[in-house]
Amino acid sequence: MKTTTLAAVCSLALATSAFADPLEGRWQTARDDNGNSGIIQVAPCGAALCGTLVQSFDAGGNPIASDFDGRLIISDTVAQGGGAYRGKVYSPDRDKTYNSRLQLTGNSLAVSGCVLGICRNGGTWTRVQ
């Protein structure tokens, strides 16, 4: 009985990971207006995907403490098909939340967004292994 239960739990865990969204994982952001960058951990949050800033770096690539560590950077993000995602992205350097357009191509994520008709290219993020 224990072996059957263990096999069922392992099968469920493997099946769940097989259905993970391709956007899930850790992403190195492009540098912002201040030269800083960060690592964003993307994971499911309800029916959408969210990304939390888990580590910050200065312009030299050195780890730094940031007031934004632990903050949601990506929120309400859903797949549109063909690697496209729509949702919200917060920009700490401008303290603005944009309606985001994300385009996933392999291990690269093109990030852009608009707020009140003002659009911004957030650069290309790279998947961190």
Side-chain angles (χ1 to χ4, degrees), residues 67-110:
D67 292 340
F68 300 102
D69 289 345
R71 175 153 183 168
L72 276 183
I73 301 298
I74 295 174
S75 60
D76 301 326
T77 300
V78 294
Q80 302 294 302
Y85 292 82
R86 300 292 180 268
K88 306 279 184 193
V89 64
Y90 175 71
S91 178
D93 60 333
R94 296 193 182 175
D95 193 28
K96 294 196 182 321
T97 300
Y98 296 84
N99 293 315
S100 66
R101 292 179 174 267
L102 309 176
Q103 183 63 49
L104 178 63
T105 306
N107 289 323
S108 295
L109 183 65

Side-chain angles (χ1 to χ4, degrees), residues 23-65:
L23 188 61
E24 288 182 48
R26 295 168 62 91
W27 294 90
Q28 173 76 48
T29 69
R31 295 191 186 285
D32 65 15
D33 290 346
N34 302 315
N36 298 329
S37 64
I39 302 290
I40 308 297
Q41 177 71 46
V42 177
C45 59
L49 292 166
C50 294
T52 303
L53 179 63
V54 295
Q55 191 171 13
S56 300
F57 302 95
D58 65 17
N62 302 305
I64 58 171

